[in-house]
Amino acid sequence: MANHVARFIERCMIRKCVTHNTLKFVDVLWISKRRYASALFISNINGKEYYSFIQPYIDFDKRLTDTEKLQQDLAARKLNLNAKDVKSMWDFYSCVHTNKSKLEQRSQEISDKLVPLFEKKESLTAEEQAEFTKLKLQVSAVKHDLRMIKDALETLKESILQKMFELPNELDGKTPVQGPIVLKRVNSLNERPHPDKKNHIEIGRHLGLLEYRNPMQYYLCNDAALFELGILSYAGKILGADNMIRVAGADFSRSLIIDGSGLNHEDPADAFIIDNYSEVDKDSPNRMHLVGGASLFSFLAMHAKQLIDPRHFPVAYFSTGRQYTPFRAGSIPIGLFTVCQASAALAFILVKDGKSKEYHTQFERLLNTVCKLYDNVCDHYQIVLRSSSELRPWESMRVSFELWSPFSRQYIEVGHISVYGEYFSKRLQIMYRSVDGPSFPSVISGTVLSVPRLLGCLLEQNPDKFVIPQKILEHMPADNTCL
């Protein structure tokens, strides 16, 4: 099966420019040298009005109650931020917002007093006329102040509120700080001696399995193409047997979902941008992005701004398909380990309460299910609990499945499972109704299998012959069915 990423991306004319944001902390404000247009907090951009379909849930008071815990999380992630400064910044925004509410209340109180005076305006006594004039001056002054403070709040949304939403997720208590921990090793590493170690690109070309040009363009040939179909079919069988629902996700997503997921929707190094999409204005903060149907963005888009029936939890899905990830400028390409398009299997689970036993049960259940997949595909692999400094900002905990790369002399992550808590659901209004009102479910998800990474490791482990695991052979189509 040929990989069509290059032709597809050329047709879509994905923008290649990279936006750089340089931030500095001044008093209690982060000030950007370049104006960043959030897709979650939009009002007026370049003189044009835009509507934000989703307004994220704001509850930083709860997060900032324990600044010591926040500082520990920031330090564990190796982020150079001061929790007390962050709290001061939020307190300043909250104070301005409170003053706005007080002004609105005062304006309403004065208006209530003016109403009866307006009704008998022609028959006011001298005393009432003086009161009437006084109240009109007061309401005019209050409305002027209210307009000023509303304008200030719009500015603060860009300089404070957006930056508050860049705070990383709260770390799970199981996430190690000092370094990654190997949770499990399946069988021992039995590296076969070979006089001339080659990387998987050279091996693939020699065996007629792979044509690799660059991270944007590569082609799987012959048995490698059939292997891709077979491993995805087998992964689907394993995940489906665990009562997970197969879903065909959308290959495209809006900037709103990209921004709500914690990425910079304006940076094509974070997510591919469709540059010539005619239905969206070029400067719009809500453009189209190429993400792939087996991506986390696709599942988040399915549930954004949805009220889920609490009786349906836990909700468990999986998808097998494509993922599109830009190659960041300045990075070193490492063959199939860093390609922009990957066939993959992704799992996605929603649980009502992130602190409940069910949340941990669902994580362990998915972990065991994915282990069954790798037990029948790999002779040797290891499961690693990643350290806090290795996590992405939206991750609370991450468990990796790793295979050995003889050429690189290191383990390569070929799949992972992460827990995110309420991070996504609060940003994208994924809710369910509880006795206390709208509540936010917790998310467990991960790319449990990346086919190019798995294939690269398997090729390097057997450089003379492509050894396909028996379980995959059973799920591969015959050659003539693909003609």
Side-chain angles (χ1 to χ4, degrees), residues 152-168:
L153 275 174
E154 285 301 317
T155 302
L156 291 177
K157 275 187 178 181
E158 296 180 5
S159 58
I160 292 182
L161 203 54
Q162 286 183 18
K163 300 309 170 188
M164 291 299 297
F165 270 87
E166 292 178 7
L167 282 176

PDB file of all heavy atoms in Angstrom, residues 152-168:
ATOM      1  N   ALA A 152     -10.622  46.800  29.049  1.00  0.00           N
ATOM      2  CA  ALA A 152      -9.434  46.296  29.750  1.00  0.00           C
ATOM      3  C   ALA A 152      -9.482  44.786  29.887  1.00  0.00           C
ATOM      4  O   ALA A 152      -8.463  44.096  29.729  1.00  0.00           O
ATOM      5  CB  ALA A 152      -9.337  46.945  31.121  1.00  0.00           C
ATOM      6  N   LEU A 153     -10.662  44.252  30.166  1.00  0.00           N
ATOM      7  CA  LEU A 153     -10.799  42.798  30.305  1.00  0.00           C
ATOM      8  C   LEU A 153     -10.534  42.081  28.997  1.00  0.00           C
ATOM      9  O   LEU A 153      -9.981  40.979  28.980  1.00  0.00           O
ATOM     10  CB  LEU A 153     -12.206  42.452  30.823  1.00  0.00           C
ATOM     11  CG  LEU A 153     -12.396  42.493  32.337  1.00  0.00           C
ATOM     12  CD1 LEU A 153     -13.856  42.274  32.697  1.00  0.00           C
ATOM     13  CD2 LEU A 153     -11.528  41.456  33.027  1.00  0.00           C
ATOM     14  N   GLU A 154     -10.941  42.686  27.877  1.00  0.00           N
ATOM     15  CA  GLU A 154     -10.653  42.078  26.574  1.00  0.00           C
ATOM     16  C   GLU A 154      -9.154  41.983  26.356  1.00  0.00           C
ATOM     17  O   GLU A 154      -8.645  40.988  25.843  1.00  0.00           O
ATOM     18  CB  GLU A 154     -11.311  42.901  25.453  1.00  0.00           C
ATOM     19  CG  GLU A 154     -12.801  42.718  25.347  1.00  0.00           C
ATOM     20  CD  GLU A 154     -13.196  41.274  25.089  1.00  0.00           C
ATOM     21  OE1 GLU A 154     -12.543  40.615  24.254  1.00  0.00           O
ATOM     22  OE2 GLU A 154     -14.142  40.788  25.736  1.00  0.00           O
ATOM     23  N   THR A 155      -8.426  43.032  26.771  1.00  0.00           N
ATOM     24  CA  THR A 155      -6.969  43.012  26.655  1.00  0.00           C
ATOM     25  C   THR A 155      -6.364  41.969  27.596  1.00  0.00           C
ATOM     26  O   THR A 155      -5.433  41.248  27.232  1.00  0.00           O
ATOM     27  CB  THR A 155      -6.388  44.398  26.981  1.00  0.00           C
ATOM     28  OG1 THR A 155      -6.955  45.356  26.101  1.00  0.00           O
ATOM     29  CG2 THR A 155      -4.875  44.403  26.834  1.00  0.00           C
ATOM     30  N   LEU A 156      -6.927  41.900  28.802  1.00  0.00           N
ATOM     31  CA  LEU A 156      -6.415  40.944  29.785  1.00  0.00           C
ATOM     32  C   LEU A 156      -6.660  39.504  29.352  1.00  0.00           C
ATOM     33  O   LEU A 156      -5.933  38.598  29.748  1.00  0.00           O
ATOM     34  CB  LEU A 156      -7.058  41.199  31.148  1.00  0.00           C
ATOM     35  CG  LEU A 156      -6.643  42.495  31.854  1.00  0.00           C
ATOM     36  CD1 LEU A 156      -7.398  42.657  33.156  1.00  0.00           C
ATOM     37  CD2 LEU A 156      -5.149  42.503  32.108  1.00  0.00           C
ATOM     38  N   LYS A 157      -7.693  39.279  28.560  1.00  0.00           N
ATOM     39  CA  LYS A 157      -7.941  37.929  28.040  1.00  0.00           C
ATOM     40  C   LYS A 157      -6.741  37.457  27.231  1.00  0.00           C
ATOM     41  O   LYS A 157      -6.375  36.282  27.262  1.00  0.00           O
ATOM     42  CB  LYS A 157      -9.200  37.909  27.168  1.00  0.00           C
ATOM     43  CG  LYS A 157     -10.489  37.736  27.932  1.00  0.00           C
ATOM     44  CD  LYS A 157     -11.650  37.554  26.978  1.00  0.00           C
ATOM     45  CE  LYS A 157     -12.951  37.319  27.727  1.00  0.00           C
ATOM     46  NZ  LYS A 157     -14.092  37.116  26.826  1.00  0.00           N
ATOM     47  N   GLU A 158      -6.128  38.385  26.482  1.00  0.00           N
ATOM     48  CA  GLU A 158      -4.983  38.024  25.665  1.00  0.00           C
ATOM     49  C   GLU A 158      -3.709  37.914  26.497  1.00  0.00           C
ATOM     50  O   GLU A 158      -2.891  37.033  26.278  1.00  0.00           O
ATOM     51  CB  GLU A 158      -4.791  39.067  24.559  1.00  0.00           C
ATOM     52  CG  GLU A 158      -5.950  39.130  23.577  1.00  0.00           C
ATOM     53  CD  GLU A 158      -5.717  40.176  22.507  1.00  0.00           C
ATOM     54  OE1 GLU A 158      -4.622  40.764  22.485  1.00  0.00           O
ATOM     55  OE2 GLU A 158      -6.626  40.399  21.702  1.00  0.00           O
ATOM     56  N   SER A 159      -3.548  38.835  27.471  1.00  0.00           N
ATOM     57  CA  SER A 159      -2.291  38.877  28.219  1.00  0.00           C
ATOM     58  C   SER A 159      -2.278  38.008  29.461  1.00  0.00           C
ATOM     59  O   SER A 159      -1.230  37.643  29.955  1.00  0.00           O
ATOM     60  CB  SER A 159      -1.977  40.327  28.623  1.00  0.00           C
ATOM     61  OG  SER A 159      -3.034  40.857  29.385  1.00  0.00           O
ATOM     62  N   ILE A 160      -3.460  37.636  29.957  1.00  0.00           N
ATOM     63  CA  ILE A 160      -3.515  36.834  31.183  1.00  0.00           C
ATOM     64  C   ILE A 160      -4.267  35.530  30.973  1.00  0.00           C
ATOM     65  O   ILE A 160      -3.716  34.443  31.169  1.00  0.00           O
ATOM     66  CB  ILE A 160      -4.153  37.632  32.342  1.00  0.00           C
ATOM     67  CG1 ILE A 160      -3.233  38.773  32.770  1.00  0.00           C
ATOM     68  CG2 ILE A 160      -4.417  36.727  33.533  1.00  0.00           C
ATOM     69  CD1 ILE A 160      -3.737  39.586  33.943  1.00  0.00           C
ATOM     70  N   LEU A 161      -5.530  35.621  30.572  1.00  0.00           N
ATOM     71  CA  LEU A 161      -6.363  34.415  30.527  1.00  0.00           C
ATOM     72  C   LEU A 161      -5.812  33.367  29.569  1.00  0.00           C
ATOM     73  O   LEU A 161      -5.790  32.173  29.869  1.00  0.00           O
ATOM     74  CB  LEU A 161      -7.797  34.796  30.142  1.00  0.00           C
ATOM     75  CG  LEU A 161      -8.887  33.807  30.563  1.00  0.00           C
ATOM     76  CD1 LEU A 161      -8.812  33.516  32.059  1.00  0.00           C
ATOM     77  CD2 LEU A 161     -10.266  34.320  30.200  1.00  0.00           C
ATOM     78  N   GLN A 162      -5.355  33.816  28.393  1.00  0.00           N
ATOM     79  CA  GLN A 162      -4.769  32.858  27.452  1.00  0.00           C
ATOM     80  C   GLN A 162      -3.544  32.182  28.060  1.00  0.00           C
ATOM     81  O   GLN A 162      -3.334  30.977  27.881  1.00  0.00           O
ATOM     82  CB  GLN A 162      -4.377  33.571  26.158  1.00  0.00           C
ATOM     83  CG  GLN A 162      -5.559  33.948  25.282  1.00  0.00           C
ATOM     84  CD  GLN A 162      -5.104  34.589  23.990  1.00  0.00           C
ATOM     85  OE1 GLN A 162      -3.940  34.460  23.593  1.00  0.00           O
ATOM     86  NE2 GLN A 162      -5.998  35.286  23.319  1.00  0.00           N
ATOM     87  N   LYS A 163      -2.728  32.944  28.769  1.00  0.00           N
ATOM     88  CA  LYS A 163      -1.521  32.374  29.354  1.00  0.00           C
ATOM     89  C   LYS A 163      -1.853  31.451  30.517  1.00  0.00           C
ATOM     90  O   LYS A 163      -1.129  30.481  30.760  1.00  0.00           O
ATOM     91  CB  LYS A 163      -0.578  33.497  29.813  1.00  0.00           C
ATOM     92  CG  LYS A 163      -0.148  34.414  28.687  1.00  0.00           C
ATOM     93  CD  LYS A 163       0.392  33.627  27.514  1.00  0.00           C
ATOM     94  CE  LYS A 163       0.606  34.504  26.297  1.00  0.00           C
ATOM     95  NZ  LYS A 163       0.957  33.684  25.093  1.00  0.00           N
ATOM     96  N   MET A 164      -2.939  31.737  31.226  1.00  0.00           N
ATOM     97  CA  MET A 164      -3.356  30.832  32.291  1.00  0.00           C
ATOM     98  C   MET A 164      -3.728  29.469  31.714  1.00  0.00           C
ATOM     99  O   MET A 164      -3.473  28.430  32.321  1.00  0.00           O
ATOM    100  CB  MET A 164      -4.551  31.420  33.045  1.00  0.00           C
ATOM    101  CG  MET A 164      -4.236  32.655  33.873  1.00  0.00           C
ATOM    102  SD  MET A 164      -3.021  32.364  35.181  1.00  0.00           S
ATOM    103  CE  MET A 164      -3.880  31.170  36.187  1.00  0.00           C
ATOM    104  N   PHE A 165      -4.312  29.467  30.516  1.00  0.00           N
ATOM    105  CA  PHE A 165      -4.687  28.204  29.879  1.00  0.00           C
ATOM    106  C   PHE A 165      -3.489  27.478  29.292  1.00  0.00           C
ATOM    107  O   PHE A 165      -3.620  26.365  28.797  1.00  0.00           O
ATOM    108  CB  PHE A 165      -5.749  28.438  28.801  1.00  0.00           C
ATOM    109  CG  PHE A 165      -7.144  28.352  29.344  1.00  0.00           C
ATOM    110  CD1 PHE A 165      -7.763  29.443  29.893  1.00  0.00           C
ATOM    111  CD2 PHE A 165      -7.826  27.145  29.339  1.00  0.00           C
ATOM    112  CE1 PHE A 165      -9.036  29.363  30.413  1.00  0.00           C
ATOM    113  CE2 PHE A 165      -9.095  27.044  29.865  1.00  0.00           C
ATOM    114  CZ  PHE A 165      -9.715  28.154  30.404  1.00  0.00           C
ATOM    115  N   GLU A 166      -2.309  28.104  29.350  1.00  0.00           N
ATOM    116  CA  GLU A 166      -1.090  27.413  28.937  1.00  0.00           C
ATOM    117  C   GLU A 166      -0.429  26.692  30.104  1.00  0.00           C
ATOM    118  O   GLU A 166       0.582  26.015  29.917  1.00  0.00           O
ATOM    119  CB  GLU A 166      -0.113  28.413  28.311  1.00  0.00           C
ATOM    120  CG  GLU A 166      -0.601  28.961  26.976  1.00  0.00           C
ATOM    121  CD  GLU A 166       0.353  29.987  26.399  1.00  0.00           C
ATOM    122  OE1 GLU A 166       1.453  30.167  26.964  1.00  0.00           O
ATOM    123  OE2 GLU A 166      -0.004  30.606  25.382  1.00  0.00           O
ATOM    124  N   LEU A 167      -0.991  26.820  31.293  1.00  0.00           N
ATOM    125  CA  LEU A 167      -0.474  26.052  32.427  1.00  0.00           C
ATOM    126  C   LEU A 167      -0.620  24.562  32.137  1.00  0.00           C
ATOM    127  O   LEU A 167      -1.641  24.124  31.620  1.00  0.00           O
ATOM    128  CB  LEU A 167      -1.234  26.401  33.710  1.00  0.00           C
ATOM    129  CG  LEU A 167      -0.871  27.704  34.421  1.00  0.00           C
ATOM    130  CD1 LEU A 167      -1.796  27.918  35.606  1.00  0.00           C
ATOM    131  CD2 LEU A 167       0.582  27.682  34.883  1.00  0.00           C
ATOM    132  N   PRO A 168       0.386  23.761  32.471  1.00  0.00           N
ATOM    133  CA  PRO A 168       0.300  22.320  32.188  1.00  0.00           C
ATOM    134  C   PRO A 168      -0.710  21.628  33.092  1.00  0.00           C
ATOM    135  O   PRO A 168      -1.132  22.169  34.116  1.00  0.00           O
ATOM    136  CB  PRO A 168       1.723  21.828  32.475  1.00  0.00           C
ATOM    137  CG  PRO A 168       2.250  22.797  33.483  1.00  0.00           C
ATOM    138  CD  PRO A 168       1.659  24.127  33.119  1.00  0.00           C
TER     139      PRO A 168
END
